[in-house]
Amino acid sequence: MNGQTIYQYLSNLDLLIGILTILLSMAIGAFTTYKVLNILLKREKIFFNNLQRKIKVFYPPYENKKEMEVEFEEIKNNRLFNADFKTCDIRKINNIDAKSLVRGYL
């Protein structure tokens, strides 16, 4: 083996190491991007599924007998919620479930 052959083998080895480094970097970048996008898409799917749920609003009557019309309309008009039921009747308290919003006194 002469010096030129050794130099050629070392050059090929250096080129191979460079190519493998680039491929490994691309694979790590692609995997990281996939995982991040997968997490974000799962959160968005949960968020959009929650948008379809109807919520019930329970609130106590005000001292001056003013109903909660403005607040309920704000919740109803907000595109993040789907409010379909509101009451201040304490007798309907057994309707509270996991999809209920209970408002107390401030």
Side-chain angles (χ1 to χ4, degrees), residues 3-13:
Q4 187 177 6
T5 308
I6 293 173
Y7 178 76
Q8 187 176 8
Y9 285 143
L10 290 177
S11 295
N12 289 339
L13 182 62

Side-chain angles (χ1 to χ4, degrees), residues 9-44:
Y9 285 143
L10 290 177
S11 295
N12 289 339
L13 182 62
D14 186 44
L15 181 63
L16 180 64
I17 290 173
I19 290 173
L20 289 177
T21 303
I22 291 171
L23 290 176
L24 183 63
S25 299
M26 289 173 59
I28 290 172
F31 179 74
T32 305
T33 303
Y34 168 75
K35 290 304 265 184
V36 168
L37 289 178
N38 193 20
I39 290 170
L40 290 176
L41 289 176
K42 281 182 183 178
R43 287 184 183 173
E44 289 296 318

Side-chain angles (χ1 to χ4, degrees), residues 39-93:
I39 290 170
L40 290 176
L41 289 176
K42 281 182 183 178
R43 287 184 183 173
E44 289 296 318
K45 183 178 177 185
I46 291 170
F47 176 70
F48 286 120
N49 286 339
N50 285 338
L51 288 179
Q52 302 301 318
R53 291 184 182 166
K54 294 182 185 263
I55 62 169
K56 301 173 188 173
V57 179
F58 293 89
Y59 62 94
Y62 288 110
E63 293 174 1
N64 58 3
K65 304 296 183 201
K66 180 179 134 187
E67 296 294 323
M68 198 174 116
E69 292 298 324
V70 175
E71 289 88 351
F72 183 74
E73 288 301 319
E74 189 68 31
I75 291 172
K76 195 171 182 177
N77 292 336
N78 190 343
R79 293 170 50 193
L80 295 179
F81 301 105
N82 189 3
D84 69 337
F85 176 78
K86 72 178 173 91
T87 186
C88 65
D89 189 6
I90 197 68
R91 292 173 290 185
K92 295 185 179 180
I93 201 75

